[in-house]
Amino acid sequence: MLTSVQNVLGDETRGLPHLEMKPKMPFKRNILCIGAGYVGGPTMAMIAFKCPQYKVTVVDINPERIAQWNSDNLPIYEPGLDEVVKAARGRNLFFSTEIEKGIQDSDVIFVSVNTPTKTFGAGAGMAADLQYWDKTAREIRKYSQSNKIIVEKSTLPVKTAQAMERILTCGDNGVCFDVLSNPEFLAEGTAIQDLENPDRVLIGSSQTPEGFLARDVLVEIYANWIPRDKIITSNIWSSELSKLVANAFLAQRISSVNAISALCEKADADIQEVTRAVGMDSRVGSKFLNASVGFGGSCFKKDILNLVYICRYYDLKEVADYWEGVVKINDYQKERFILNMLQVMFNTLAGKKICLFGFAFKADTGDTRESPAIRIAKRLMEEKADLVITDPKAINNAKDDLEGEPGNVSYVEDPYEAAAGCCAIALMTEWSHYKRLDYEKIFQTMVKPAFIFDGRNILDHHGLHKIGFNVFPIGKPPLTHY
Ligand code: NAD
Ligand code: UGA
């Protein structure tokens, strides 16, 4: 039987009679991606942009999302994405809801569906919910009429490829599948630059001749624009696990810094001075050492909890507890932020108008999934504060996140208008334009005493203090007027 790779290789399989009879395709490859989300959309747009010789189709079960991808108003905000999509869409990049046709026409299928934390049954709150993944595997099996390479793009528990292979190969239609792991390391807000110039691309394959051939097909796709030495290969389980571990290490760095920020506040040290000193050790490195109100985003928490769940499954209690600590410190940091606000604002927030500067989980995205601002907003509402939320890109998502929450909340696009009449500003997202606002003007319109809680340490704290604000950074002594 032919492997999926022989089907996909085209020219390289000349001499194999059944493949030579394949109808001539206008494109060198037909690539499909199932899942048109934050990963599937930008990743496929980049492949199409860089490789006009391939036809790239992105399908999704959500027709609204697909309609947005086909419009001038893309479903996600990501700097540089519009230009990349516009250059390739209609040429060799297509967005569609026709999943069955997409599967039939393709020879390489990326699967980039969501893999959230399970909310029910065994492993609830910890394990990955693989229902979307499982459903996709069954659809691929059902509609495939020719051999295919399946690429795991979603972040998955280690050994998922095995489950995928079992689902795919239980049919009797003679179709062959090779499953590869190719986790995505892009960060939101910098997705386009990460995709264009990644630190590395990781491809895991089974260590068999067929596995290596399938791997080489994927290597060839990326090699169109990524230097060969940045495309690394491994066995499939290492690849799946590397993704979880990469996110766990990154999140661990933030929790480490945030834990020390609590100590700095007690010891009159300055977290930015400490991280500068520590980060200049080339073994540590200076990136990803910014103390904050806590990390957010759809993946850090879910991927660590998934890692913890897997460790517990293998009876590695100490290892599981160690990594769970990263999530616990993150929760502690958010709670610490709220309790500090409550305490310094004279132990009551009831009826006080508080403005949140930013709601996205980080700058340059409209994404609010697991944003620390959600927890902060809910806790402030529990304390009966009146909230005003401003954000350049995330107001609609903020409205969805807080829908039905008891309490007063309003949404105002202009930060000057949002802060007027408030007694405190809590900066949640490090949007750079918040650094450049006229805080003199803002101070004049606020209720006194006026407070600023800088949850990202991006503002000029001494300057704000001079204006008259009581300033509370993270991991630094506060600057007050009382
Ligand atoms: P997302 O929720 O934005 O997108 C997933 C899409 O898959 C949705 O549009 C959904 O409708 C679609 N979908 C679900 N089941 C489907 C099915 N059966 N057929 C067709 N479409 C289906 O998620 P995302 O943020 O793009 O993340 C996808 C995966 O990538 C996750 O595993 C995540 O952990 C991983 N990841 C995400 C990021 C990130 O920055 N968001 C980065 C790296 C890796
Ligand atoms: C993260 C990883 O950086 C990506 O490599 C990975 O692909 C992705 O998760 C994923 O798997 O989803 P992302 O969550 O988009 O990317 O953004 P990050 O830049 O990692 O920021 C995550 C959170 O940590 C944000 O809330 C950010 O504000 C916070 N952060 C980041 C800090 O609090 N301090 C820092 O020093 C850096």
Side-chain angles (χ1 to χ4, degrees):
M1 188 185 287
L2 290 171
T3 68
S4 64
V5 176
Q6 285 173 309
N7 233 16
V8 173
L9 277 174
D11 282 357
E12 292 106 278
T13 55
R14 210 172 290 136
L16 297 172
H18 10 3
L19 289 178
E20 278 186 342
M21 283 161 62
K22 225 173 134 186
K24 212 169 165 4
M25 291 191 300
F27 291 102
K28 191 174 174 200
R29 295 197 196 298
N30 276 349
I31 295 172
L32 177 74
C33 176
I34 303 181
Y38 284 87
V39 168
T43 311
M44 292 304 121
M46 184 57 71
I47 293 180
F49 180 67
K50 295 287 183 183
C51 315
Q53 71 275 32
Y54 305 147
K55 180 180 179 189
V56 181
T57 307
V58 189
V59 292
D60 202 290
I61 38 169
N62 182 339
E64 275 165 40
R65 216 166 212 197
I66 291 299
Q68 283 176 306
W69 279 112
N70 280 321
S71 77
D72 285 340
N73 195 8
L74 300 184
I76 60 178
Y77 170 71
E78 191 62 63
L81 178 64
D82 280 32
E83 290 77 4
V84 172
V85 169
K86 275 182 192 150
R89 198 174 54 194
R91 176 189 74 181
N92 65 327
L93 174 66
F94 304 91
F95 295 94
S96 161
T97 49
E98 291 184 307
I99 298 176
E100 177 177 345
K101 182 171 182 322
I103 292 172
Q104 281 166 357
D105 290 351
S106 59
D107 31 37
V108 178
I109 302 180
F110 288 81
V111 182
S112 188
V113 299
N114 37 328
T115 51
T117 303
K118 212 174 161 199
T119 53
F120 54 89
M126 299 290 279
D129 182 348
L130 296 175
Q131 60 172 308
Y132 308 101
W133 178 258
D134 186 282
K135 188 164 176 278
T136 308
R138 285 166 204 279
E139 277 171 344
I140 294 173
R141 186 190 67 201
K142 187 168 159 198
Y143 298 128
S144 290
Q145 293 164 358
S146 59
N147 301 342
K148 309 206 186 283
I149 294 174
I150 310 299
V151 185
E152 293 181 342
K153 200 42 143 170
S154 302
T155 303
L156 293 157
V158 61
K159 296 272 168 164
T160 305
Q162 198 169 51
M164 181 80 159
E165 223 153 49
R166 283 184 185 150
I167 294 173
L168 291 173
T169 53
C170 73
D172 52 2
N173 59 358
V175 174
C176 282
F177 299 95
D178 280 296
V179 180
L180 299 173
S181 161
N182 171 221
E184 184 49 61
F185 296 104
L186 69 79
E188 288 177 32
T190 54
I192 294 302
Q193 106 200 24
D194 295 342
L195 288 167
E196 190 153 34
N197 187 18
D199 287 346
R200 77 303 205 187
V201 166
L202 174 59
I203 301 172
S205 66
S206 55
Q207 304 294 289
T208 59
E210 298 76 28
F212 293 142
L213 281 170
R215 178 196 69 189
D216 291 346
V217 170
L218 195 51
V219 168
E220 186 203 285
I221 292 174
Y222 283 113
N224 280 288
W225 78 97
I226 293 165
R228 189 58 191 81
D229 61 341
K230 284 193 172 183
I231 305 174
I232 59 172
T233 58
S234 72
N235 84 36
I236 201 158
W237 320 130
S238 306
S239 173
E240 289 179 333
L241 188 56
S242 299
K243 173 63 198 177
L244 295 183
V245 174
N247 274 358
F249 269 54
L250 289 168
Q252 178 208 40
R253 247 173 115 84
I254 303 167
S255 278
S256 298
V257 170
N258 284 343
I260 298 302
S261 75
L263 179 57
C264 285
E265 286 166 30
K266 298 283 179 208
D268 291 331
D270 179 325
I271 190 67
Q272 282 176 316
E273 292 179 351
V274 173
T275 52
R276 187 176 56 148
V278 173
M280 278 179 76
D281 185 327
S282 59
R283 293 168 302 176
V284 177
S286 59
K287 290 183 184 165
F288 239 70
L289 287 178
N290 295 324
S292 65
V293 59
F295 61 74
S298 62
C299 294
F300 276 177
K301 184 175 172 191
K302 98 169 157 63
D303 291 348
I304 295 174
L305 291 176
N306 188 357
L307 185 68
V308 169
Y309 183 75
I310 293 166
C311 293
R312 292 213 201 290
Y313 172 83
Y314 287 116
D315 225 3
L316 300 169
K317 181 184 174 306
E318 284 75 9
V319 185
D321 291 349
Y322 173 75
W323 287 107
E324 198 169 18
V326 173
V327 175
K328 284 186 178 159
I329 287 288
N330 200 47
D331 289 338
Y332 164 76
Q333 187 75 347
K334 289 180 269 188
E335 191 58 21
R336 213 168 70 71
F337 190 85
I338 282 291
L339 293 180
N340 188 39
M341 284 182 81
L342 180 61
Q343 193 209 323
V344 303
M345 290 175 72
F346 319 112
N347 289 311
T348 176
L349 300 176
K352 292 183 178 167
K353 211 168 153 193
I354 297 177
C355 180
L356 297 190
F357 269 18
F359 206 83
F361 81 96
K362 65 182 283 196
D364 296 319
T365 178
D367 194 354
T368 60
R369 291 178 292 177
E370 293 293 338
S371 176
I374 299 175
R375 167 87 171 267
I376 303 295
K378 286 184 180 171
R379 290 285 286 105
L380 289 172
M381 284 156 92
E382 270 171 33
E383 294 295 337
K384 304 225 177 295
D386 293 342
L387 287 193
V388 187
I389 292 171
T390 181
D391 188 290
K393 294 287 173 192
I395 283 192
N396 286 341
N397 282 335
K399 285 180 185 166
D400 289 346
D401 293 329
L402 298 179
E403 202 189 319
E405 288 297 319
N408 291 331
V409 55
S410 53
Y411 303 89
V412 180
E413 218 145 285
D414 177 52
Y416 293 100
E417 224 181 283
C422 291
C423 48
I425 294 170
L427 189 140
M428 297 283 99
T429 313
E430 68 280 25
W431 287 103
S432 63
H433 75 275
Y434 292 149
K435 290 188 226 174
R436 297 190 296 270
L437 296 176
D438 180 348
Y439 283 94
E440 282 271 8
K441 183 173 151 189
I442 289 176
F443 182 73
Q444 299 311 327
T445 65
M446 288 179 68
V447 172
K448 311 298 179 311
F451 294 81
I452 285 203
F453 300 88
D454 183 357
R456 297 289 182 167
N457 279 348
I458 59 162
L459 301 178
D460 169 8
H461 301 141
H462 287 283
L464 291 170
H465 184 240
K466 238 197 227 156
I467 291 171
F469 283 104
N470 295 297
V471 187
F472 292 84
I474 300 269
K476 291 166 181 262
L479 301 168
T480 61
H481 293 283
Y482 52 83

mmCIF file of all heavy atoms in Angstrom, residues 312 315-323:
data_model
loop_
_atom_site.group_PDB
_atom_site.id
_atom_site.type_symbol
_atom_site.label_atom_id
_atom_site.label_comp_id
_atom_site.label_asym_id
_atom_site.label_seq_id
_atom_site.Cartn_x
_atom_site.Cartn_y
_atom_site.Cartn_z
ATOM 1 N N ARG A 312 0.508 13.590 37.227
ATOM 2 C CA ARG A 312 -0.260 12.835 38.234
ATOM 3 C C ARG A 312 -0.677 11.467 37.676
ATOM 4 O O ARG A 312 -0.665 10.475 38.372
ATOM 5 C CB ARG A 312 -1.502 13.617 38.661
ATOM 6 C CG ARG A 312 -1.194 14.880 39.443
ATOM 7 C CD ARG A 312 -2.270 15.188 40.496
ATOM 8 N NE ARG A 312 -2.244 16.582 40.870
ATOM 9 C CZ ARG A 312 -1.281 17.171 41.588
ATOM 10 N NH1 ARG A 312 -0.277 16.457 42.033
ATOM 11 N NH2 ARG A 312 -1.336 18.456 41.866
ATOM 12 N N ASP A 315 1.844 9.144 38.140
ATOM 13 C CA ASP A 315 2.197 9.000 39.551
ATOM 14 C C ASP A 315 3.443 9.799 39.947
ATOM 15 O O ASP A 315 4.191 9.386 40.845
ATOM 16 C CB ASP A 315 2.422 7.510 39.874
ATOM 17 C CG ASP A 315 1.739 7.153 41.172
ATOM 18 O OD1 ASP A 315 1.084 8.035 41.746
ATOM 19 O OD2 ASP A 315 1.886 5.991 41.614
ATOM 20 N N LEU A 316 3.674 10.912 39.279
ATOM 21 C CA LEU A 316 4.838 11.758 39.585
ATOM 22 C C LEU A 316 4.358 12.945 40.430
ATOM 23 O O LEU A 316 4.294 14.091 39.965
ATOM 24 C CB LEU A 316 5.500 12.240 38.293
ATOM 25 C CG LEU A 316 6.014 11.125 37.376
ATOM 26 C CD1 LEU A 316 6.417 11.664 36.014
ATOM 27 C CD2 LEU A 316 7.197 10.407 38.037
ATOM 28 N N LYS A 317 3.986 12.657 41.668
ATOM 29 C CA LYS A 317 3.320 13.656 42.511
ATOM 30 C C LYS A 317 4.185 14.912 42.710
ATOM 31 O O LYS A 317 3.702 16.040 42.565
ATOM 32 C CB LYS A 317 2.988 13.017 43.867
ATOM 33 C CG LYS A 317 2.275 13.955 44.812
ATOM 34 C CD LYS A 317 2.043 13.313 46.167
ATOM 35 C CE LYS A 317 1.462 14.324 47.149
ATOM 36 N NZ LYS A 317 2.220 15.559 47.301
ATOM 37 N N GLU A 318 5.457 14.697 43.035
ATOM 38 C CA GLU A 318 6.333 15.855 43.323
ATOM 39 C C GLU A 318 6.486 16.738 42.079
ATOM 40 O O GLU A 318 6.511 17.959 42.172
ATOM 41 C CB GLU A 318 7.722 15.399 43.810
ATOM 42 C CG GLU A 318 7.751 14.901 45.253
ATOM 43 C CD GLU A 318 7.146 13.516 45.435
ATOM 44 O OE1 GLU A 318 6.852 12.845 44.410
ATOM 45 O OE2 GLU A 318 6.948 13.096 46.581
ATOM 46 N N VAL A 319 6.612 16.081 40.938
ATOM 47 C CA VAL A 319 6.768 16.852 39.693
ATOM 48 C C VAL A 319 5.489 17.651 39.428
ATOM 49 O O VAL A 319 5.521 18.847 39.088
ATOM 50 C CB VAL A 319 7.060 15.913 38.499
ATOM 51 C CG1 VAL A 319 7.333 16.703 37.237
ATOM 52 C CG2 VAL A 319 8.240 14.996 38.820
ATOM 53 N N ALA A 320 4.350 16.999 39.623
ATOM 54 C CA ALA A 320 3.062 17.672 39.403
ATOM 55 C C ALA A 320 2.921 18.863 40.351
ATOM 56 O O ALA A 320 2.544 19.967 39.928
ATOM 57 C CB ALA A 320 1.919 16.680 39.618
ATOM 58 N N ASP A 321 3.256 18.664 41.628
ATOM 59 C CA ASP A 321 3.110 19.749 42.617
ATOM 60 C C ASP A 321 4.007 20.927 42.254
ATOM 61 O O ASP A 321 3.629 22.086 42.408
ATOM 62 C CB ASP A 321 3.482 19.257 44.035
ATOM 63 C CG ASP A 321 2.452 18.268 44.568
ATOM 64 O OD1 ASP A 321 1.374 18.145 43.943
ATOM 65 O OD2 ASP A 321 2.740 17.617 45.594
ATOM 66 N N TYR A 322 5.220 20.599 41.797
ATOM 67 C CA TYR A 322 6.174 21.656 41.431
ATOM 68 C C TYR A 322 5.562 22.566 40.362
ATOM 69 O O TYR A 322 5.530 23.785 40.499
ATOM 70 C CB TYR A 322 7.472 21.011 40.917
ATOM 71 C CG TYR A 322 8.464 21.994 40.366
ATOM 72 C CD1 TYR A 322 9.208 22.789 41.209
ATOM 73 C CD2 TYR A 322 8.642 22.139 38.987
ATOM 74 C CE1 TYR A 322 10.122 23.717 40.699
ATOM 75 C CE2 TYR A 322 9.544 23.053 38.469
ATOM 76 C CZ TYR A 322 10.285 23.834 39.323
ATOM 77 O OH TYR A 322 11.172 24.744 38.820
ATOM 78 N N TRP A 323 5.043 21.983 39.293
ATOM 79 C CA TRP A 323 4.512 22.806 38.201
ATOM 80 C C TRP A 323 3.195 23.465 38.566
ATOM 81 O O TRP A 323 2.901 24.576 38.111
ATOM 82 C CB TRP A 323 4.396 21.975 36.915
ATOM 83 C CG TRP A 323 5.752 21.719 36.338
ATOM 84 C CD1 TRP A 323 6.442 20.545 36.336
ATOM 85 C CD2 TRP A 323 6.626 22.699 35.747
ATOM 86 N NE1 TRP A 323 7.685 20.721 35.774
ATOM 87 C CE2 TRP A 323 7.828 22.035 35.398
ATOM 88 C CE3 TRP A 323 6.514 24.057 35.481
ATOM 89 C CZ2 TRP A 323 8.894 22.701 34.801
ATOM 90 C CZ3 TRP A 323 7.582 24.713 34.885
ATOM 91 C CH2 TRP A 323 8.752 24.034 34.552
#
